[in-house]
Short mmCIF file of all heavy atoms in Angstrom, two decimals:
data_model
loop_
_atom_site.label_atom_id
_atom_site.label_comp_id
_atom_site.label_asym_id
_atom_site.label_seq_id
_atom_site.Cartn_x
_atom_site.Cartn_y
_atom_site.Cartn_z
N GLN A 82 -2.91 7.25 -33.69
CA GLN A 82 -1.79 7.33 -34.61
C GLN A 82 -1.58 8.75 -35.15
O GLN A 82 -0.70 8.99 -35.98
CB GLN A 82 -2.01 6.37 -35.80
CG GLN A 82 -2.14 4.91 -35.39
CD GLN A 82 -0.89 4.39 -34.74
OE1 GLN A 82 0.21 4.64 -35.20
NE2 GLN A 82 -1.06 3.64 -33.65
N TYR A 83 -2.44 9.69 -34.70
CA TYR A 83 -2.33 11.10 -35.12
C TYR A 83 -2.40 11.25 -36.65
O TYR A 83 -1.65 12.01 -37.25
CB TYR A 83 -1.03 11.72 -34.61
CG TYR A 83 -0.89 11.68 -33.12
CD1 TYR A 83 -0.09 10.72 -32.52
CD2 TYR A 83 -1.57 12.59 -32.32
CE1 TYR A 83 0.04 10.67 -31.14
CE2 TYR A 83 -1.45 12.54 -30.94
CZ TYR A 83 -0.65 11.58 -30.35
OH TYR A 83 -0.54 11.55 -29.00
N LYS A 84 -3.33 10.54 -37.25
CA LYS A 84 -3.50 10.66 -38.70
C LYS A 84 -4.39 11.85 -39.02
O LYS A 84 -5.24 12.25 -38.22
CB LYS A 84 -4.09 9.38 -39.29
CG LYS A 84 -3.11 8.21 -39.25
CD LYS A 84 -3.65 7.03 -40.02
CE LYS A 84 -2.65 5.90 -40.07
NZ LYS A 84 -3.13 4.75 -40.81
N ALA A 85 -4.23 12.36 -40.23
CA ALA A 85 -5.02 13.52 -40.67
C ALA A 85 -6.47 13.10 -40.88
O ALA A 85 -6.77 11.98 -41.22
CB ALA A 85 -4.45 14.09 -41.98
N ALA A 86 -7.38 14.05 -40.69
CA ALA A 86 -8.82 13.76 -40.76
C ALA A 86 -9.24 13.28 -42.15
O ALA A 86 -10.20 12.55 -42.30
CB ALA A 86 -9.61 15.00 -40.37
N ASP A 87 -8.54 13.73 -43.22
CA ASP A 87 -8.96 13.35 -44.56
C ASP A 87 -8.59 11.92 -44.92
O ASP A 87 -8.85 11.47 -46.03
CB ASP A 87 -8.38 14.31 -45.61
CG ASP A 87 -6.85 14.33 -45.59
OD1 ASP A 87 -6.26 13.60 -44.77
OD2 ASP A 87 -6.26 15.07 -46.40
N THR A 88 -8.00 11.17 -44.03
CA THR A 88 -7.68 9.77 -44.31
C THR A 88 -8.63 8.81 -43.59
O THR A 88 -8.39 7.63 -43.54
CB THR A 88 -6.24 9.44 -43.86
OG1 THR A 88 -6.14 9.59 -42.44
CG2 THR A 88 -5.25 10.34 -44.54
N ILE A 89 -9.68 9.35 -43.00
CA ILE A 89 -10.59 8.53 -42.20
C ILE A 89 -11.27 7.48 -43.08
O ILE A 89 -11.79 7.77 -44.16
CB ILE A 89 -11.65 9.40 -41.50
CG1 ILE A 89 -10.96 10.24 -40.42
CG2 ILE A 89 -12.76 8.58 -40.91
CD1 ILE A 89 -11.87 11.20 -39.71
N LEU A 90 -11.28 6.26 -42.61
CA LEU A 90 -11.83 5.12 -43.33
C LEU A 90 -13.31 5.26 -43.62
O LEU A 90 -13.80 4.83 -44.65
CB LEU A 90 -11.60 3.85 -42.49
CG LEU A 90 -12.38 2.58 -42.85
CD1 LEU A 90 -11.91 2.04 -44.18
CD2 LEU A 90 -12.22 1.54 -41.76
N THR A 91 -14.06 5.89 -42.72
CA THR A 91 -15.51 5.86 -42.79
C THR A 91 -16.09 6.61 -43.98
O THR A 91 -17.27 6.49 -44.26
CB THR A 91 -16.11 6.46 -41.51
OG1 THR A 91 -15.60 7.79 -41.35
CG2 THR A 91 -15.72 5.63 -40.31
N ALA A 92 -15.30 7.38 -44.69
CA ALA A 92 -15.82 8.16 -45.80
C ALA A 92 -16.42 7.29 -46.89
O ALA A 92 -17.36 7.67 -47.56
CB ALA A 92 -14.72 9.05 -46.37
N HIS A 93 -15.88 6.08 -47.12
CA HIS A 93 -16.35 5.23 -48.20
C HIS A 93 -16.65 3.81 -47.71
O HIS A 93 -16.61 2.87 -48.49
CB HIS A 93 -15.32 5.17 -49.33
CG HIS A 93 -14.97 6.52 -49.88
ND1 HIS A 93 -15.85 7.26 -50.65
CD2 HIS A 93 -13.84 7.26 -49.76
CE1 HIS A 93 -15.26 8.41 -50.98
NE2 HIS A 93 -14.05 8.43 -50.45
N LEU A 94 -16.95 3.65 -46.46
CA LEU A 94 -17.16 2.32 -45.91
C LEU A 94 -18.55 1.80 -46.25
O LEU A 94 -19.56 2.44 -45.98
CB LEU A 94 -16.99 2.35 -44.38
CG LEU A 94 -17.22 1.02 -43.66
CD1 LEU A 94 -16.21 -0.01 -44.13
CD2 LEU A 94 -17.13 1.21 -42.16
N ARG A 95 -18.60 0.62 -46.88
CA ARG A 95 -19.85 -0.07 -47.14
C ARG A 95 -19.70 -1.52 -46.69
O ARG A 95 -18.64 -2.13 -46.89
CB ARG A 95 -20.21 -0.04 -48.62
CG ARG A 95 -20.51 1.36 -49.16
CD ARG A 95 -21.03 1.28 -50.58
NE ARG A 95 -20.07 0.62 -51.46
CZ ARG A 95 -20.37 0.18 -52.68
NH1 ARG A 95 -21.59 0.30 -53.15
NH2 ARG A 95 -19.44 -0.39 -53.43
N LEU A 96 -20.75 -2.07 -46.10
CA LEU A 96 -20.72 -3.45 -45.63
C LEU A 96 -21.82 -4.25 -46.31
O LEU A 96 -22.93 -3.76 -46.51
CB LEU A 96 -20.91 -3.53 -44.12
CG LEU A 96 -19.85 -2.89 -43.23
CD1 LEU A 96 -20.21 -3.12 -41.76
CD2 LEU A 96 -18.48 -3.46 -43.52
#
Side-chain angles (χ1 to χ4, degrees):
Q82 300 297 316
Y83 301 102
K84 290 188 176 181
D87 60 0
T88 64
I89 291 177
L90 165 68
T91 56
H93 303 289
L94 178 62
R95 295 187 301 166
L96 296 182

